[in-house]
Amino acid sequence: LALYFHIGEREEKCIIEDLPSDTLVVGNYKVQRWDIHKHDFLESAPGLGMFVTVSTPSGEVLLSKLYGSQGTFSFTSYLSGEHIICFQSNSTRLLAIAGSKLRIHLDIRVGEHFFDESAVQAKEKVDEVNVRLEHLIEQIQHVSKEQDYEREREEKFRKTSEETNSNILWWAIVQTLILIFVGIWQIKSLRDFFIAKKLV
């Protein structure tokens, strides 16, 4: 519900809202003051405020509070029926002259469910658990990435080790062949030497 209405600075204006029980109502308002020189409604002067009063169908006062020239009020209807929402400025002017006219812009939003504080607290706890779960998931993902990285390093190290072992094996084979070749060459050289000296 969005509307605006005019009142005098010392006048009280009320609207009626027919509400079901256990319903949250939130109202936003802004006050403008009539300027007799510019013939237009302008932003209200600092210090001008609004008394907001809310009464139940049984006459019980749910809300009675002074707000500024614009503000937000809220209440929960505990009874079904016509609730009266009244506005009156805190002006101290005694004369109701033409320049004392006010325009109030009002936007009222009526909720569909009871404003349960325990439900809000439960939601906050759920939100906190969600944050912790997200943090835990991030930690798990981080650990998983670390494990993948370690696995890659281990695999790279294993390949390097296998290549090194393979190189060592081939180097050992080459050394063995060289030793065998040198041994055979030495034996042949000694044999030829002994034959040449006629020692054999």
Side-chain angles (χ1 to χ4, degrees), residues 143-191:
V143 171
S144 178
K145 289 179 180 178
E146 291 249 340
Q147 288 179 338
D148 291 340
Y149 177 66
E150 290 296 329
R151 196 175 298 113
E152 289 177 3
R153 289 183 59 187
E154 183 180 348
E155 185 177 352
K156 185 178 180 180
F157 179 75
R158 189 180 70 250
K159 287 182 179 179
T160 303
S161 298
E162 290 176 354
E163 290 176 358
T164 302
N165 290 335
S166 178
N167 292 335
I168 291 174
L169 177 62
W170 283 108
W171 177 241
I173 293 173
V174 169
Q175 282 183 324
T176 303
L177 292 175
I178 291 173
L179 289 174
I180 292 173
F181 176 76
V182 170
I184 293 173
W185 179 77
Q186 286 180 340
I187 292 172
K188 186 176 181 302
S189 297
L190 286 173
R191 186 176 172 222

Side-chain angles (χ1 to χ4, degrees), residues 40-60:
D40 194 8
F41 285 98
L42 304 179
E43 297 300 321
S44 61
L48 180 64
M50 274 286 156
F51 287 104
V52 180
T53 306
V54 179
S55 302
T56 66
S58 63
E60 178 187 358

Side-chain angles (χ1 to χ4, degrees), residues 4 6-7 14-15 33 57 63 81-82 85 91 103 108 145 150 156 161-162 168 173 176 191:
Y4 73 85
H6 297 155
I7 62 173
C14 299
I15 62 172
R33 175 180 277 154
L63 174 69
E82 294 182 343
I85 306 172
S91 174
R103 174 184 283 178
I108 294 181
K145 289 179 180 178
E150 290 296 329
K156 185 178 180 180
S161 298
E162 290 176 354
I168 291 174
I173 293 173
T176 303
R191 186 176 172 222

